[in-house]
Amino acid sequence: MTARLPSLNGLRAFEAAARHLSFTLAASELNVTQTAISHQIRRLEEELGIRLFVRQNRALALTPEARDYLPGVRAAFNDLRLATDRLLRKDDDKVLTVSTLASLAAKWLLPRLADFQEQHPGIDVRITTSTSLVDFQRDDVDAAIRYGRGQWPGLRADWLMADELFPVCSPSLLRGDKPLRRPEDLRNHPLLHTSNANSDDWRLWLTAAGLPSDIARHPGITFDMIFMTIQAAIDGIGVAMGRTSYVQDDIAKGRLVVPFKIALPADAGFYLVSPEGRREAPKLVAFRDWMIAAAQNKA
């Protein structure tokens, strides 16, 4: 037997009142009277046969049953908002939302996007950045650029590019009182680090170069995003551990140099991923083809 759904107005009143823990604020948000909110809540409680709110010292509190009920109600309203937004959005087939890392967007994707716009002026590209993996079932995102080994269940993953690890610095550090000529000279310069995913890059490269890994623990500067680390290297503050996709443009324009010939291959790469069910959408096909060509220096 299918359970009868409770009143939508009652659920809206419950969600708002639970979020604010106030009938007054819920009434203001929903543009109704406080009496109307109280009536809707009371009717919902009667429909469910469960008490949802209790008053404690002039404060409003949720019952244990209401605390269990609230996440599902909130998620349902969020799904309704997203579904309605998709339904009413004009020219949705021309809006392409792509999620990626902020540093990759700043150092690789954004400098190339003008070429895509020239080739596909009818597609409105929207870039969103996050350090978390996008949830395609809940987030309004068409595609994402992910770093890994290409194994994400339920997603199409198209290979874009690999990285190599190698030190980079301003050309000014090759000159001066302590010129950077050999890997051993790194002891005389601040090392620039990036926290989180790239925190082990310096140790790995130093080991591959035959140098003590404890050089990586010498006093230096650490940033939480790699594009900040790269900018500090451009400014001559120290030596950064570069990754190909983040530094190739700055090297080509002479803002950075590679002082040593030792490069360490990374064990993963960048992929463009999208849900299997949406992979043939024209806007996504156009962006996928362009991304693959751009990664191969053909765009």
Side-chain angles (χ1 to χ4, degrees):
M1 179 178 177
T2 303
R4 186 170 64 88
L5 291 175
S7 143
L8 182 60
N9 285 337
L11 291 173
R12 289 181 65 212
F14 165 64
E15 193 278 333
R19 180 161 25 90
H20 294 294
L21 288 179
S22 166
F23 285 1
T24 301
L25 294 177
S28 176
E29 177 183 317
L30 299 178
N31 198 29
V32 297
T33 65
Q34 182 178 345
T35 301
I37 291 291
S38 298
H39 176 74
Q40 289 167 1
I41 294 293
R42 184 166 62 253
R43 179 183 173 188
L44 179 63
E45 289 176 329
E46 291 173 354
E47 287 183 283
L48 297 173
I50 295 172
R51 191 177 185 187
L52 299 173
F53 293 96
V54 293
R55 293 192 176 275
Q56 297 176 339
N57 299 325
R58 297 184 179 179
L60 196 64
L62 294 172
T63 65
E65 294 82 1
R67 285 196 296 270
D68 290 340
Y69 192 38
L70 179 61
V73 173
R74 184 167 290 161
F77 274 111
N78 187 55
D79 285 344
L80 283 171
R81 292 186 189 101
L82 290 175
T84 304
D85 182 63
R86 286 192 292 266
L87 176 66
L88 299 179
R89 184 185 298 153
K90 295 181 180 179
D91 298 326
D92 184 61
D93 60 334
K94 297 298 183 182
V95 176
L96 179 74
T97 303
V98 181
S99 174
T100 185
L101 297 170
S103 292
L104 187 67
K107 302 301 294 183
W108 191 89
L109 181 57
L110 297 185
R112 292 166 170 78
L113 266 183
D115 179 75
F116 178 80
Q117 290 285 261
E118 288 180 7
Q119 294 185 35
H120 304 279
I123 299 178
D124 180 9
V125 181
R126 301 179 182 181
I127 305 298
T128 177
T129 62
S130 174
T131 56
S132 302
L133 293 182
V134 63
D135 183 342
F136 286 101
Q137 292 185 339
R138 300 202 51 84
D139 300 327
D140 194 13
V141 171
D142 298 296
I145 304 173
R146 287 187 180 176
Y147 185 80
R149 294 180 175 84
Q151 298 175 350
W152 295 283
L155 300 180
R156 168 173 174 162
D158 289 276
W159 169 258
L160 296 177
M161 56 194 169
D163 275 340
E164 287 187 326
L165 310 180
F166 47 87
V168 292
C169 65
S170 165
S172 65
L173 295 193
L174 302 184
R175 305 180 297 272
D177 296 336
K178 298 178 181 179
L180 194 61
R181 295 171 180 167
R182 302 175 302 165
E184 292 82 357
D185 295 331
L186 287 169
R187 299 178 186 273
N188 301 321
H189 296 272
L191 299 188
L192 308 176
H193 304 265
T194 307
S195 59
N196 302 325
N198 304 315
S199 59
D200 211 30
D201 286 358
W202 266 115
R203 185 190 64 80
L204 293 173
W205 186 88
L206 289 166
T207 300
L211 295 173
S213 60
D214 62 0
I215 294 178
R217 293 194 292 271
H218 289 183
I221 305 175
T222 300
F223 302 89
D224 63 352
M225 292 188 178
I226 193 170
F227 79 88
M228 298 171 65
T229 309
I230 299 305
Q231 186 59 50
I234 292 172
D235 294 339
I237 295 173
V239 185
M241 182 55 59
R243 286 176 172 257
T244 310
S245 55
Y246 294 107
V247 300
Q248 58 186 3
D249 289 350
D250 292 314
I251 293 171
K253 294 178 181 178
R255 293 190 289 258
L256 289 173
V257 294
V258 183
F260 317 118
K261 295 182 178 180
I262 303 170
L264 181 66
D267 62 352
F270 288 101
Y271 292 80
L272 181 69
V273 300
S274 56
E276 286 286 354
R278 304 183 212 165
R279 63 183 187 176
E280 299 308 321
K283 61 182 179 181
L284 187 53
V285 171
F287 188 75
R288 181 188 301 128
D289 291 346
W290 176 82
M291 277 288 298
I292 293 173
Q296 297 173 353
N297 295 319
K298 294 180 181 179

